Amino acid sequence: MMKVKTTTNRRIQRELDKRAPKLVETGKKTLILQGTKSSRTLNGLFTEIYHLKKGTAVRYTRKNDNIRPFESGGETSLEFFSLKTDCSLFVYGSHSKKRPDNLVIGRTYDHHIYDLVEVGIENYKPMDLFKYDKKLAPQVGSKPFIVFVGEGFENVEELKHLKEVLLDLLRGEVVERLSLVGLDRAYVCTATSSNRVFLTHCALRLKKSGTVVPRMELVEVGPSMDLVVRRHRLPNDGLKKESMKTSIDKPKKKEKNVSKDAVQGKIGKIYIPDQKVGEIPLPNKAKGVKRERREAKNMKKNANGPASKKQKEDSK
Amino acid sequence: MEEKQVDLGNLMAFNPFHNYPSLPTSREELVKECIQEGTKLVQAIADSLFNLPPIEDADGPLVKLPPPTTRLPREKHLPRPKPPTKWELFSKARGIKNRKKDKVLWDEQTGTWKRSYGYDRVNDDKDVPIIEAKMTDAEPGEDPFAKRREDKKTRVEKQKNNRIQNLKQAAKVGALPSHVQLAATALPITGTQSAPKKLTKGELGNVAGIAATATASGGKFDKKLPGEKAPKKEGKHRKYLPVVEGSGIGSLEKEQTEKVLNKLISKNSREILNVDKAVNMYNVKKERKQWNSTGKSTSTSNKLKPKHKPMKGRNKPQKKGRKDSSKKRKTE
């Protein structure tokens, strides 16, 4: 025997529809969480990533003692959290003697771990140590410019991987139309050596240049840090191929009332509202009203309804 | 010479040819140089971005971005197409086309316009006050109203089953609508109607523990699943003393017996003896002997008492009474 369980609530149904697989995806949500031990640097970084990605990030503040993304068996609860919060990007931090200020950035596909990059945080400088004109402060949720500098991002495999993950993490929502007024931030990633990346967050100042294109000026607003690549795990080929699939045909908006004909070419249908031939008023029977009340209403209408209508006509 | 890769869809730029001949020594210089290089690339993105044809909007100029060129993995799989239902297959084979029904229809029974479905609909069974009996009726005694109701019930049930069948087919392909869940109510063998009780966490753990230890080795050499914990051991575990005494262990058994003996033989072993209890026991025995010799006492209360010798544990309150009486006798 089977039973069909459906939502009783339209609101919940909408929420579930949001989580359903889509033909064109617009962006990923990020889950930020920590292991058993975290450091001050990491805690500060978590809050700042959360603020930078506000609206598309979920922050977990409790300790998690059974998450070890690189080990088998250590990803179960992470995958569960990913399913629960509908996040497909995660930032996991831990602090140990062997790997101080450790940050694991990873992605999931279908709520299973897709790939992982482990970086150490060094030379971390939080937002509040930067002095700048507060008018320049970037807005929440604005689309950032992302810039990668350095040959390491092409030659070194780890950095190449890190670049892709960072792009996924930082790029924000995928949009079709962009307002040019809302451009106010940029991330600059520079590969300083074969395993070290300097990452900083800047505000943009647009200056007049006399042409259409304004002159760009970057003002560092923080946070800034060095990422030292430690371990990384690439996705296996089958999964990668599966996850890179895109729909060839975009979901077209259904074109209504337009058809094509070999002889006549494009044909459009025009609908004219119904002719009111009979002018038969339908009984006013709202379903929500109780029967007695409805009947009482009808009785009342029959008693003095037509008289008032006539008066109206007279006044016209 | 310098070539920059610009991905306008992601607002991303990449300069793969830049590298530092010698890294700047101080942090400030490094940051300065990085930002300088970054500004160049941001300018490169802006050059192509601001040259796109703008669309004027109330909030300022908008720009239509090209699709991103950097391929990033999807978040979830592509939506799978829903398999056709049985009716859809059938109607396609027969060439049946859907036609739209009117929402309100003229009801001849009542002479009004009514909705075509739902409460108070057209041709509702409830509106039929009289059904004429016919000669062709199968059974003369049958209630035609009840039959109509029964028929409707079966129709509804059939539709429900059809729906479940179609949903099962969809679930097989993984194309179940996001708001629908299919849940098994009972195992098909048992055929029970009520939904099975949900197992608690503890019960599940117990069952898992039993299953895990149901091998010849007691689960010792079985492969563990990821995240599986060792089953909890419950119940008493008696510890036996070693049969053969090794040199290191010492004679445990000897120690045990000595402990008991010492207690009995020790100087103040009298304190172990509860004098009050011993006196009581002595008195009770004495009294019992007297009773047996003189026959049962004549008091009425004693007649009600059971004749057989009461069990040891049961007669605590009785004991008290006897004790009192014995004392009285002594005083007499």
Side-chain angles (χ1 to χ4, degrees):
Chain A
M1 279 296 286
M2 285 294 224
K3 206 177 113 191
V4 183
K5 274 169 90 183
T6 47
T7 53
T8 49
N9 198 332
R10 189 73 203 174
R11 180 171 55 88
I12 295 165
Q13 190 173 331
R14 273 199 302 272
E15 216 53 41
L16 286 171
D17 282 344
K18 269 183 212 165
R19 289 179 171 220
K22 289 177 203 74
L23 209 55
V24 176
E25 288 170 351
T26 52
K28 297 177 177 181
K29 273 167 81 184
T30 313
L31 176 67
I32 305 166
L33 75 177
Q34 70 228 15
T36 39
K37 229 181 131 197
S38 179
S39 63
R40 256 177 93 181
T41 317
L42 282 180
N43 284 339
L45 181 64
F46 287 149
T47 356
E48 291 186 354
I49 295 177
Y50 179 69
H51 279 297
L52 291 176
K53 293 191 62 72
K54 206 159 201 177
T56 56
V58 179
R59 168 94 171 92
Y60 273 10
T61 49
R62 281 200 197 168
K63 286 176 183 175
N64 297 294
D65 56 352
N66 47 2
I67 295 182
R68 280 176 186 80
F70 278 96
E71 290 166 28
S72 69
E75 74 274 12
T76 30
S77 88
L78 192 61
E79 282 171 359
F80 169 71
F81 289 146
S82 142
L83 179 69
K84 191 182 170 193
T85 55
D86 193 32
C87 289
S88 53
L89 263 165
F90 65 87
V91 175
Y92 167 81
S94 63
H95 181 73
S96 66
K97 197 173 173 186
K98 193 175 176 189
R99 297 194 182 89
D101 295 330
N102 201 34
L103 203 70
V104 181
I105 311 170
R107 295 181 283 185
T108 62
Y109 174 69
D110 266 349
H111 304 299
H112 288 290
I113 287 185
Y114 176 76
D115 63 349
L116 297 163
V117 189
E118 189 176 57
V119 289
I121 306 295
E122 281 174 22
N123 300 325
Y124 174 66
K125 200 176 170 194
M127 265 181 199
D128 42 343
L129 290 185
F130 288 90
K131 299 267 183 312
Y132 58 95
D133 186 8
K134 291 293 172 198
K135 274 181 206 164
L136 284 174
Q139 298 283 315
V140 171
S142 64
K143 180 113 177 148
F145 286 102
I146 307 169
V147 165
F148 293 95
V149 184
E151 60 177 2
F153 283 123
E154 196 160 76
N155 301 335
V156 186
E157 200 198 1
E158 287 113 57
L159 292 188
K160 203 175 171 184
H161 187 202
L162 180 68
K163 175 182 166 240
E164 201 189 306
V165 175
L166 279 180
L167 177 64
D168 216 347
L169 180 71
L170 302 175
R171 68 170 172 168
E173 205 182 337
V174 180
V175 286
E176 219 173 45
R177 287 178 167 197
L178 184 73
S179 170
L180 293 179
V181 185
L183 296 170
D184 55 2
R185 66 168 85 188
Y187 292 102
V188 180
C189 311
T190 320
T192 49
S193 71
S194 66
N195 70 338
R196 189 177 280 265
V197 172
F198 170 69
L199 168 67
T200 186
H201 177 222
C202 298
L204 280 180
R205 188 185 279 157
L206 308 183
K207 290 208 163 179
K208 275 175 195 165
S209 66
T211 58
V212 190
V213 185
R215 194 158 60 79
M216 295 292 181
E217 220 177 82
L218 298 187
V219 182
E220 218 184 351
V221 295
S224 84
M225 70 206 91
D226 273 2
L227 308 175
V228 184
V229 181
R230 284 173 183 155
R231 290 182 285 181
H232 79 133
R233 195 168 86 197
L234 286 166
N236 58 26
D237 291 335
L239 193 64
K240 192 172 180 184
K241 204 176 167 191
E242 172 78 24
S243 68
M244 288 295 182
K245 271 183 191 169
T246 45
S247 59
I248 305 153
D249 48 349
K250 270 197 165 181
K252 268 185 252 165
K253 214 176 176 188
K254 201 178 160 191
E255 207 178 22
K256 280 181 175 176
N257 305 325
V258 178
S259 56
K260 272 179 184 162
D261 196 276
V263 186
Q264 292 165 296
K266 206 174 182 183
I267 304 170
K269 262 190 211 166
I270 297 172
Y271 289 94
I272 300 167
D274 275 351
Q275 292 180 44
K276 288 164 188 164
V277 185
E279 274 287 15
I280 303 160
L282 289 176
N284 184 14
K285 282 186 183 180
K287 264 187 174 183
V289 187
K290 281 207 168 160
R291 188 186 286 170
E292 300 101 52
R293 218 179 282 172
R294 204 166 52 212
E295 274 161 9
K297 200 176 159 192
N298 281 343
M299 292 273 279
K300 223 180 187 180
K301 222 184 209 175
N302 291 338
N304 55 10
S308 62
K309 257 189 187 172
K310 262 183 191 171
Q311 273 181 355
K312 259 189 186 172
E313 278 178 8
D314 288 346
S315 67
K316 274 179 188 175
Chain B
M1 174 211 155
E2 247 189 348
E3 202 181 296
K4 290 160 190 161
Q5 301 172 6
V6 176
D7 176 6
L8 214 50
N10 285 326
L11 296 184
M12 195 266 285
F14 175 35
N15 181 2
F17 296 106
H18 184 275
N19 68 331
Y20 299 102
S22 62
L23 269 177
T25 45
S26 75
R27 183 89 184 154
E28 283 89 55
E29 266 181 62
L30 172 80
V31 171
K32 209 175 163 190
E33 216 165 296
C34 287
I35 288 186
Q36 218 172 34
E37 195 58 38
T39 315
K40 277 187 210 164
L41 283 173
V42 170
Q43 191 66 52
I45 305 172
D47 281 344
S48 41
L49 187 68
F50 281 82
N51 282 325
L52 288 173
I55 311 158
E56 283 303 323
D57 193 70
D59 299 330
L62 288 179
V63 155
K64 203 176 172 215
L65 286 180
T69 49
T70 319
R71 302 255 277 161
L72 291 171
R74 293 180 63 85
E75 184 180 15
K76 284 158 198 158
H77 60 80
L78 281 167
R80 291 165 185 137
K82 190 174 138 276
T85 61
K86 223 170 178 184
W87 162 252
E88 275 165 357
L89 284 174
F90 177 78
S91 61
K92 204 182 171 193
R94 289 286 175 89
I96 302 168
K97 270 183 188 169
N98 266 350
R99 59 182 163 76
K100 272 202 174 167
K101 286 177 194 163
D102 290 334
K103 207 173 177 186
V104 268
L105 290 172
W106 179 256
D107 188 25
E108 285 182 8
Q109 281 177 9
T110 50
T112 47
W113 288 91
K114 282 191 167 183
R115 283 188 194 82
S116 57
Y117 54 84
Y119 168 73
D120 198 15
R121 65 180 169 86
V122 172
N123 299 328
D124 197 352
D125 281 355
K126 284 174 193 161
D127 290 343
V128 183
I130 299 161
I131 300 170
E132 273 182 41
K134 287 174 198 163
M135 291 304 286
T136 53
D137 279 351
E139 274 179 62
E142 202 183 30
D143 183 3
F145 294 100
K147 192 173 174 266
R148 272 172 176 244
R149 249 176 281 141
E150 200 59 37
D151 286 351
K152 168 126 193 181
K153 236 180 198 174
T154 49
R155 261 180 284 142
V156 169
E157 188 66 24
K158 196 180 161 219
Q159 175 54 30
K160 194 181 141 200
N161 286 336
N162 287 348
R163 181 176 173 230
I164 288 177
Q165 275 304 319
N166 288 327
L167 284 174
K168 265 189 198 168
Q169 286 300 320
K172 239 183 220 172
V173 205
L176 212 58
S178 63
H179 58 276
V180 174
Q181 266 186 331
L182 274 181
T185 50
L187 291 170
I189 315 155
T190 57
T192 47
Q193 285 296 310
S194 60
K197 210 184 107 194
K198 215 177 175 186
L199 285 172
T200 61
K201 198 180 172 187
E203 281 170 332
L204 270 178
N206 284 341
V207 172
I210 290 166
T213 52
T215 54
S217 66
K220 197 176 177 183
F221 301 109
D222 290 358
K223 258 188 191 171
K224 288 273 184 307
L225 290 171
E228 191 183 333
K229 285 171 194 163
K232 267 186 195 167
K233 279 173 191 164
E234 275 175 21
K236 284 176 189 170
H237 293 274
R238 187 178 161 187
K239 278 175 186 166
Y240 295 93
L241 291 172
V243 182
V244 182
E245 282 156 14
S247 57
I249 308 165
S251 48
L252 282 172
E253 200 177 345
K254 202 176 167 188
E255 269 177 31
Q256 215 172 37
T257 42
E258 269 182 354
K259 212 175 162 187
V260 178
L261 269 176
N262 279 338
K263 224 179 182 180
L264 290 174
I265 306 169
S266 64
K267 251 189 179 177
N268 33 9
S269 65
R270 289 200 168 189
E271 282 169 18
I272 304 169
L273 188 75
N274 193 347
V275 181
D276 285 347
K277 208 175 175 184
V279 169
N280 267 345
M281 274 166 76
Y282 177 73
N283 285 339
V284 168
K285 256 183 192 170
K286 206 178 162 188
E287 210 177 346
R288 214 169 269 165
K289 262 183 192 171
Q290 277 182 356
W291 277 358
N292 284 348
S293 57
T294 57
K296 305 294 176 297
S297 69
T298 49
S299 72
T300 48
S301 65
N302 278 357
K303 266 183 187 172
L304 292 172
K305 276 174 191 167
K307 277 179 184 175
H308 63 87
K309 207 175 174 182
M311 298 276 278
K312 248 188 181 177
R314 276 191 202 163
N315 51 359
K316 265 182 188 167
Q318 288 176 1
K319 235 187 200 172
K320 241 184 185 174
R322 280 174 197 167
K323 195 175 76 184
D324 293 346
S325 60
S326 69
K327 271 180 186 171
K328 269 177 197 171
R329 273 182 200 179
K330 265 190 174 176
T331 49
E332 277 167 20

